[in-house]
Amino acid sequence: MKTERGEKTEARPADILRKPGPRRGREHAIRGIPVSPGVAIGPIFDTAEVPTEAPRRAIGTEQVEAEKARLAEAVNLSRKQLGKLKMRLSVLPEEAQEELAPLLDAYVLMLGNSRLLRGARKRIETELLAAETAVQDEAEAIAALILAARDDDKPGLQRRAGEVREIARRLTRNLTSTPFRSLKGVPEGAILVAEELTPADAALLDPTRIAGVATDEGGADGHTAIMLRALGIPAILGATGLSESAERGDMAVLDGAAGTLVLRPGEKALEKGRAALTAFAKERTKLAKLRRLPAVTTDGELVELQANLEIPAELPLIAQSGAIGIGLLRTEFLFMGREDLPDEEAQLIAYTQVVEAMGGDPVTIRVLDWGGEKDMQALSEGVAPTHSGPNPALGLRGLRLLLKRPELLEAQFAAILRVSERGKVRILLPMVTNPSEVKAARDIYERVARRLRRKGVTLPEKLPELGVMIETPGAALAADAIALEADFFAIGTNDLAMYTLAVDRAEAEVSHLYDSLHPAVLRLMQFATEAALRLRMPVSVCGEMAGNPRLVPLLLGLGIRCLSMNASAIPRVKQAVRALDIADCARFARRVMEQSDPARIHELVLNFETGSEKG
Ligand code: PEP
Ligand code: MG
């Protein structure tokens, strides 16, 4: 009997994109991008095999075209995902390539003019079924036919039925925005392994249960990486070939700082892992002692060290870190994993919790920055565009979406304004490219304040400051004009590097090109910083650069005196600040800014030594 694609394949069962090959059982080391320091030793919990059952749904005749369009979109997305997987095959051992390539080809063929898709479309039209229900029904019908065939090669039949079901599962996941794994039931102390983890998935991880995370996809400064660092979970991303080699239950040693994962470690590797774990714990204890000491340079310059907050669960970690306030509260968590929008009251409760927990220290709340790599579909239907366009990162992201849907911005401004009597609050606007956008946001802000006052809400006489994220080259180069409309700047180096270098921050394939120390990025930072300092306007850095102790001399040398970072980075950054002299840093920054070769800049940064810039 012929398969869906009309040929026989030697591929393994389709629902398992990994290979139980001859290498199984042996120690196997995998490299990834180090994204969150710490060491984990524990069993692998591989989440690739999650069944995807979408509830059955019927539709009206008027929805037929829309459902067919949804299906077409899911097919496109699935093709892209498989294309990415295929590209990554080239780095795997030949043996694995031979096995997986035909399988991926089979999947891609099934996304063409296949019986599965023809049948699904027909079911949408004639049976009036939602796309995911139609896909599931058609896949089951085909699988039943395959399994009923008179053929002695039963394993072969099962394999082919599995292929159809697997592609139907991929389509269903994409149609229902179901993550590619279930994070429920991860055993305590396990190392979570997945092809890809979305920021929303990462937000659901419990750092007290999960020892570590490793994925095939992802980049160092994507939101997933940020979330993992924030939660203090040791992690590596972009570890090509990982889910192909790791099997549930395998023992592993993960080193989040070194970017390595050793599967099925031998005694020597285990011993090394244990030693690294102890060393990490010792270092933590030593750094914890810095908590109460001020972040002041040797020549007495105070540097504000603040925390970035992704989810309220981080509050205790922030309290322990010695952070003086929150420099970036990403409010996306309020909108994640829910069907409806959080209203003004729900937001007020969340902001109050954070502001009160900070006990008078400043809290900078950034209004919703939806779009880009962050999962659009998690926003309730009809708010964000249902499809994210050819270039989501260049589309209706951040303030652009909020100005298009001002009621979102109004609710957020109102909730923040209402909490402003309870603590020191500032507001931050994401993804700005034009002074006019800041002006438009300020108009709305002042209108909301007037409305609240009319309703008898007491607001501080001077409204909380309205600041701007400098995270696009446009904003950086227009910083002098934007500064006239803004009360403060926060330089978002994650996006600034992405947009300047045209390199996706979350894409493993191009992660070697993503470089915040590229002279183009540094020059933009310098231009924006100087524009702010000329007006004596506060300016901070709140991208991932801020949490790297090695970069502190350069940032201080550029004139930055406020750094906001994931809470776990604060002790190390404080340690760096306390060893530095500002004049030294300024000289060092001048030397760095004279360079045009990114490699040379890396070398300088790596070799910076306190006192070396003197004289
Ligand atoms: C940034 O872009 O540097 C930033 C801090 O914002 P986010 O990482 O949330 O996009
Ligand atoms: Mg950003």
Side-chain angles (χ1 to χ4, degrees), residues 32-38 196-205 212-215 217-239 256 308-311 314 317 330 336 373-374 494 504-508 511 514 542-545 547 565-569:
I33 303 167
V35 302
S36 179
E196 193 175 9
L197 207 63
T198 65
D201 286 336
L204 295 177
L205 299 179
V213 167
T215 68
E217 298 278 340
D221 287 352
H223 288 98
T224 303
I226 291 171
M227 195 70 86
L228 291 166
R229 271 195 289 277
L231 292 170
I233 300 177
I236 65 170
L237 303 185
N308 291 352
L309 182 137
E310 335 302 316
I311 43 176
E314 289 171 70
L317 209 75
R330 292 178 166 103
M336 276 179 184
E373 48 163 326
K374 295 167 201 168
N494 308 335
D504 196 310
R505 56 194 268 192
E507 172 61 85
S511 64
Y514 183 88
C542 64
E544 293 305 288
M545 268 181 111
M565 67 203 80
N566 74 79
S568 58

Side-chain angles (χ1 to χ4, degrees), residues 223 330 366 369 374 397 430 469 471 492 494-495 505:
H223 288 98
R330 292 178 166 103
R366 185 176 73 186
D369 180 21
K374 295 167 201 168
R397 184 185 165 177
M469 291 284 294
E471 54 183 346
N494 308 335
D495 279 318
R505 56 194 268 192

Side-chain angles (χ1 to χ4, degrees), residues 319-564:
Q320 285 163 24
S321 69
I324 310 291
I326 291 174
L328 172 64
L329 193 168
R330 292 178 166 103
T331 55
E332 290 79 64
F333 76 87
L334 280 166
F335 297 77
M336 276 179 184
R338 53 184 294 159
E339 299 278 302
D340 55 343
L341 286 170
D343 62 11
E344 189 181 312
E345 291 305 317
Q347 293 192 44
L348 178 64
I349 292 169
Y351 304 147
T352 305
Q353 183 195 4
V354 178
V355 168
E356 290 190 342
M358 292 317 292
D361 283 342
V363 177
T364 303
I365 304 176
R366 185 176 73 186
V367 289
L368 179 66
D369 180 21
W370 208 262
E373 48 163 326
K374 295 167 201 168
D375 190 357
M376 276 270 196
Q377 285 135 334
L379 211 60
S380 71
E381 277 192 14
V383 175
T386 46
H387 59 89
S388 39
N391 269 314
L394 305 182
L396 213 49
R397 184 185 165 177
L399 187 59
R400 298 168 181 187
L401 173 69
L402 297 175
L403 290 178
K404 193 131 189 162
R405 299 294 308 260
E407 70 279 14
L408 284 175
L409 191 55
E410 282 166 17
Q412 215 163 4
F413 277 155
I416 300 171
L417 280 167
R418 285 171 64 191
V419 87
S420 64
E421 277 283 282
R422 294 172 188 249
K424 228 165 152 188
V425 171
R426 305 195 303 174
I427 303 179
L428 193 47
L429 304 172
M431 189 67 184
V432 169
T433 46
N434 276 308
S436 62
E437 292 168 314
V438 186
K439 235 173 160 184
R442 194 181 285 282
D443 286 346
I444 296 174
Y445 182 48
E446 287 170 355
R447 198 169 66 224
V448 171
R450 282 196 298 274
R451 174 168 60 76
L452 288 174
R453 282 190 171 123
R454 269 201 310 276
K455 278 166 66 182
V457 178
T458 321
L459 298 180
E461 198 185 328
K462 188 173 174 303
L463 293 181
E465 292 179 343
L466 196 61
V468 168
M469 291 284 294
I470 301 293
E471 54 183 346
T472 62
L477 288 170
D480 43 356
I482 291 178
L484 301 175
E485 305 293 339
D487 297 323
F488 66 96
F489 280 169
I491 304 180
T493 53
N494 308 335
D495 279 318
L496 188 59
M498 169 168 94
Y499 290 117
T500 305
L501 304 174
V503 174
D504 196 310
R505 56 194 268 192
E507 172 61 85
E509 297 292 344
V510 287
S511 64
H512 60 291
L513 294 173
Y514 183 88
D515 182 9
S516 317
L517 287 179
H518 190 292
V521 180
L522 295 180
R523 286 170 196 172
L524 290 171
M525 289 175 68
Q526 184 181 40
F527 187 85
T529 305
E530 287 177 358
L533 294 180
R534 268 198 302 276
L535 295 179
R536 295 182 186 280
M537 197 178 83
V539 52
S540 66
V541 170
C542 64
E544 293 305 288
M545 268 181 111
N548 184 341
R550 284 196 181 279
L551 304 184
V552 176
L554 175 61
L555 296 177
L556 296 190
L558 288 174
I560 299 289
R561 295 291 180 271
C562 179
L563 301 168
S564 190

